[in-house]
Amino acid sequence: MFILMAACAGVVCAVIEILFGMEKRSVGKCILTAVKNVFVVTVLSLGVQKYLMKYKHFIDTSSYKTANFVKFFFVALIVGILFQTFVAVLHKRVTFERDLPPKKKGLVIAGNIVSILFYFLGKAAYTGTVWGRKEFGAVTGDQLLINLTSPTEGTEASVYIGGFEGPVFETLFATTIFAIILLTSFRIIYHFKGKDRQVFKDWVKRIICLVLACYTLYNGVSYGIERFQLEQVFNAYVLKSDMIDSNYADPETTKIVWPEKKRNLVYIYLESMEVSYLSKDLGGFMDENLMPNLTKYAQTGTVFSDTDNFFGGPQLGTGTQWSIASMVNQLTGLPMKAPGWKNTYGTEGKFLPGAYTLAELLEAQGYEQTMMIGASGTFGGLEYLFTTHSNWKFMDYKYALKHKMIPEGYKVWWGYEDDKLFEFAKKEIKRLYKTGKPFNFEMETADTHRPDGYVTPGKEKPYYLPYANAIWNSDKDVMEFLKWLQKQEFYENTTVVLIGDHLSMDTAFFKDAGFTSDYQRRQFNCIVNADPSVGIPNEKVTRNRLWSNWDMFPTVVAAIGGKIEGERLGIGTNLYSGEPTIYEEYGVDYVNKELEKGSKLYTEKILQVENLKDAAVHQGR
């Protein structure tokens, strides 16, 4: 069928050449022209179909629909017309000449500027959206807005390189070609039977370019709004909801009864770790389990699952699916949401200044607390989150350089690799224990970050996908650290929390691994060695639960022995209690839509901005 469509397009092109390109006609010449056009147009258009349109077949067409054939006919027709144009120029039937200077130069210059600007902005919006979705997955409007107003220092170099080589260069390249065509003044002259006809004037080209620029702008912005769900930004600034206001339990005033003997807490945020990395029989998507060690370890504790399987995890909530947002969720019991300004998320002492966190609860109980990461804490404002709230010792890449934990100028991956992170963690935990106080040690891994993860040279790489190797090695590394922890004299009085901070953004891995859209990806989670007071929760408590990251706040408090009046902190619910979460009470989709909207309590109490009209003032301080 494709061959027939191409042949039909070739016949049309042959008729055009016979009527408008052949000054002396004969039956033989007409037949020869028809054969030539049919052959050339068919071969060239099938080549375009195979190598540019990426159609797998053109002989076996049983899997294609009518629309595919119609589309291909027009593609073949365009190929034929381009071929005819090439032949006409070659035989000088068509010539290009410089056009006369325009009469209204100012208007032309203004129009050209508008055309180039519109085309540039539209192309940038489109290529940026395509690249963002490919590199980071389902980035939402709230994440986009917050990240734009947060510090980017410490970003791994490949992110910048990929951005420049991708959307930045693609936009500049396309805009340069567009500008050359627009600014080159010419007209097309058609020579036939001794007469010269002007078939294309320069002002026509300028109008076409302006229309194309307007379409490019509209298409690029529309695509960005759709794919980045930018209606969320509109909702945050314009619409209002009392979802947070009417379901918020203030951690500062909620009554919590703590045990006399305090439990230690080791809290590990596992970069991008998902249940989907497990084998299919365990609820994952892989043929072979990429996390055999953590799978076995988790079975000694409690996993909160959203399915009938033992392994499952939280729902995708508004303001949860990037690293710092996940930490905000679990430390405050709240989503990390727009509106956001640099002073709110990216300035020392002003990161959610009105929030009361897990750290502040533990400080009041005499805990020593350390947060350790191998990247720079400036990225995303992470350092400000921890230093704004409580007495954290914050140990990041910059701290390691300053205190000569790593050589001067050392830089691997996002700062230093997880091998070193775990060794530093052991030393810090020993120091915390020696203080004689209960401790809260938190850390975040990084070797499973996109793109492709990081595997220390010399380690095994049993899989052909780089990211699979990073996951497999990270599973081993975390387990080695946990084995060390189990040997320590304080382990029996230490609760361990493991959770994937968010779903992985390594979209290439999921494509290459054959993931299907109907599989529901979930963050890995488990709590091991919880306080005996929570008992052994039954399956009604641990399975088929609808919950999100913010429910970890009260759940972790319960896991270390805290008795929470009302079983809620922030908008999170203690999952051990069996009480319904806000998702279970109102529905996942409804809650997420409501959380996209503005909240008086969030804006005035948590962000400490009196109203949205003050945003510009706060941004400028």
Side-chain angles (χ1 to χ4, degrees), residues 151-432:
T152 58
E153 179 186 332
T155 305
E156 207 278 319
S158 64
V159 176
Y160 292 119
I161 293 171
F164 183 82
E165 292 181 343
V168 174
F169 180 75
E170 186 177 339
T171 298
L172 290 174
F173 179 77
T175 304
T176 299
I177 298 298
F178 177 83
I180 290 172
I181 294 172
L182 174 63
L183 300 177
T184 301
S185 178
F186 66 90
R187 55 183 176 171
I188 301 175
I189 306 299
Y190 176 58
H191 310 279
F192 188 64
K193 293 185 177 180
K195 295 182 179 180
D196 294 342
R197 297 176 176 86
Q198 184 171 303
V199 297
F200 188 83
K201 296 183 179 180
D202 195 61
W203 64 267
V204 175
K205 178 200 65 180
R206 291 196 297 270
I207 291 177
I208 292 174
C209 286
L210 179 59
V211 171
L212 176 62
C214 290
Y215 172 77
T216 302
L217 179 62
Y218 171 79
N219 183 61
V221 172
S222 299
Y223 186 70
I225 290 173
E226 175 192 356
R227 302 300 286 172
F228 281 139
Q229 304 173 42
L230 294 182
E231 71 274 7
Q232 292 180 359
V233 178
F234 173 84
N235 293 343
Y237 282 91
V238 178
L239 303 182
K240 298 287 185 275
S241 170
D242 64 353
M243 177 57 67
I244 292 177
D245 307 53
S246 57
N247 290 282
Y248 181 75
D250 191 339
E252 189 172 11
T253 58
T254 297
K255 183 179 179 181
I256 303 174
V257 178
W258 295 93
E260 183 176 346
K261 184 179 181 181
K262 307 298 189 300
R263 292 187 69 79
N264 304 312
L265 176 62
V266 173
Y267 206 132
I268 306 178
Y269 303 95
L270 302 169
E271 174 63 49
S272 304
M273 282 297 202
E274 301 185 17
V275 174
S276 54
Y277 306 151
L278 308 185
S279 53
K280 290 182 173 67
D281 61 301
L282 295 173
F285 195 83
M286 308 302 294
D287 293 328
E288 183 177 339
N289 187 2
L290 298 180
M291 299 168 56
N293 295 293
L294 292 182
T295 300
K296 186 176 180 180
Y297 182 76
Q299 290 171 337
T300 67
T302 300
V303 171
F304 292 102
S305 174
D306 61 318
T307 70
D308 288 329
N309 294 319
F310 180 82
F311 289 101
Q315 303 293 305
L316 304 186
T318 297
T320 66
Q321 287 303 300
W322 67 103
S323 294
I324 192 167
S326 180
M327 294 182 193
V328 166
N329 306 151
Q330 298 177 62
L331 289 172
T332 70
L334 289 165
M336 185 175 180
K337 63 191 299 295
W341 305 279
K342 185 174 181 181
N343 281 43
T344 307
Y345 291 125
T347 303
E348 187 174 0
K350 294 184 178 180
F351 197 110
L352 296 175
Y356 197 79
T357 68
L358 171 65
E360 284 150 319
L361 287 176
L362 298 185
E363 180 182 23
Q365 297 301 312
Y367 277 71
E368 286 285 318
Q369 304 186 86
T370 296
M371 174 62 183
M372 182 180 290
I373 60 173
S376 170
T378 306
F379 177 72
L382 182 64
E383 180 179 5
Y384 306 137
L385 166 62
F386 285 88
T387 56
T388 296
H389 300 279
S390 191
N391 59 341
W392 290 97
K393 179 180 180 182
F394 190 79
M395 302 176 68
D396 66 345
Y397 170 67
K398 295 180 298 180
Y399 180 97
L401 285 174
K402 181 179 179 180
H403 291 83
K404 302 187 185 306
M405 296 165 61
I406 54 178
E408 184 178 353
Y410 187 87
K411 182 72 183 292
V412 170
W413 199 224
W414 284 74
Y416 61 81
E417 63 273 42
D418 287 350
D419 284 355
K420 289 183 172 57
L421 181 73
F422 288 121
E423 292 304 312
F424 298 155
K426 293 174 185 178
K427 294 178 181 179
E428 179 60 16
I429 289 175
K430 286 181 178 179
R431 184 197 69 80
L432 288 168

Side-chain angles (χ1 to χ4, degrees), residues 140 142-144 146-147 150 317-329 336-338 380 444 501-503 505 549:
T140 57
D142 52 359
Q143 179 180 352
L144 182 65
I146 292 169
N147 285 348
S150 298
T318 297
T320 66
Q321 287 303 300
W322 67 103
S323 294
I324 192 167
S326 180
M327 294 182 193
V328 166
N329 306 151
M336 185 175 180
K337 63 191 299 295
E444 183 184 27
D501 58 349
H502 53 75
L503 297 184
M505 299 176 186
N549 291 343

